[in-house]
Amino acid sequence: MNTDKDCPLCHHNCKIGRDQPISKFTVEGQAIIREWGVLVRRLKTNIKAHQLNLSVICDTLDYQTAEDIVGPLLELPLLTDCAVRLGQASSHALQRLAENTVLRLTGRPTHHLENSFRFLDLPREIQWQILGHTDLVAPRPIEWVSGHGIVLPDCSFTSAQCTCWRLPTALFQVSKGIHECATRLFFSKNKFKLPTLDWSLDGGDHSCVLRFLAALPRHSLQHIRSLHCVFSSLEDHHLDPDSQAWANWHATAAFMSRHLSLPDLTLTIEDTTSRGGPSVFNLTTGIDDSAETRRAERKLHQRIAEPLAQLQGLRDLFLHFSVGGYGKFETPGEQEETVLEKRIMGEAYDSRAHGKYAEEVQRREDIKRAERPVFGPDGAQIWPLY
């Protein structure tokens, strides 16, 4: 059983099951389809209209098999609600088949799936509002990895409303006008989460953010509103003044200063490096090196923050160098972050008041909401199954 957590807001059954997909062109697949037909016919004779909420998960290898799975369902009485998953891989055809099946089973019209709409005749402001409800605005930060591109979730296509996100490349190719609108919306409404380091490509020089920004079309850079840079596996020597990583981080900040709209930009810097617990014992001397380790860590974080002084007029700066409690009172680590934030943004700057922890609080609430159990008509818990 795999309850993939990449889609915490998805339909509660979307990620259930990772069995091998079936095909009508195999003996095993034909047997499953026959048994499925018997089951649906029995279900048909024992339910009344508008009383059943049905979820069907059957991953298929081809469209013909998917048609054989949904075909018997269309003989059922009208359902109160329905969700159908027909595959684990991205397939527009399977998604349309699942949507059409659900609409017919729940008595809703399907003609809108075939009719076109003259979207380009709408005023630009209306187009902008409509596009804001498409996948141009991702449900969570967009992660990018050097050499691989945007990280996409392993999404299963379902007829139910699903937040498994896909980059809507087609919207950038409709026309010049839509391309401009989509570019502005995509870069202004999304948060981009970027690792500074990719050992497989740069050997530890922390140039990934710079490569990402430099690869973007220049006209898109002015639309970026939220950038999240993540330092990982960061050692004390990585940002020494004579290191390539130090030069690259300075160059990254300088690039931001020249090309990004700083008054509109929220910049988040995070260090996720694990450096041990409260006590750090030197294996050679047996002496507790905790204090020395913390001093080295503070010095390292000061070096991270130093190049950010170039970003005069930045809208918001959020530094995450410690595990915060997100409580009313600051931890010692959070106090150090505040000192560095004020050094760059000014003494009057208050990152908490500007929403430094708002995203983390919302993320925790979403997880709690997604983990609520689902109960069947008889009151028995049907999800999770354990």
Side-chain angles (χ1 to χ4, degrees), residues 307-326:
L308 305 181
Q310 303 175 63
L311 306 180
Q312 296 298 314
L314 189 65
R315 175 175 179 172
D316 276 310
L317 175 65
F318 301 145
L319 301 180
H320 293 279
F321 295 149
S322 62
V323 180
Y326 312 104

Side-chain angles (χ1 to χ4, degrees), residues 10 40 55 125 141 155 165 181 191 248 253 259 307 340 358:
C10 190
V40 175
S55 294
E125 294 78 10
C155 177
W165 181 76
C181 187
K191 180 175 186 177
N248 287 337
H259 299 289
L340 293 176

Side-chain angles (χ1 to χ4, degrees), residues 36 60 111 175 218 236 268 277 301 324 361:
W36 171 245
T60 58
H111 58 80
S175 66
R218 285 291 184 266
D236 295 348
T268 302
H301 291 156
V361 171

Side-chain angles (χ1 to χ4, degrees), residues 176-194:
K176 181 180 180 180
I178 295 298
H179 175 82
E180 294 175 353
C181 187
T183 299
R184 177 186 167 198
L185 191 64
F186 180 73
F187 286 102
S188 65
K189 296 297 184 181
N190 288 307
K191 180 175 186 177
F192 295 89
K193 188 174 183 179
L194 314 169

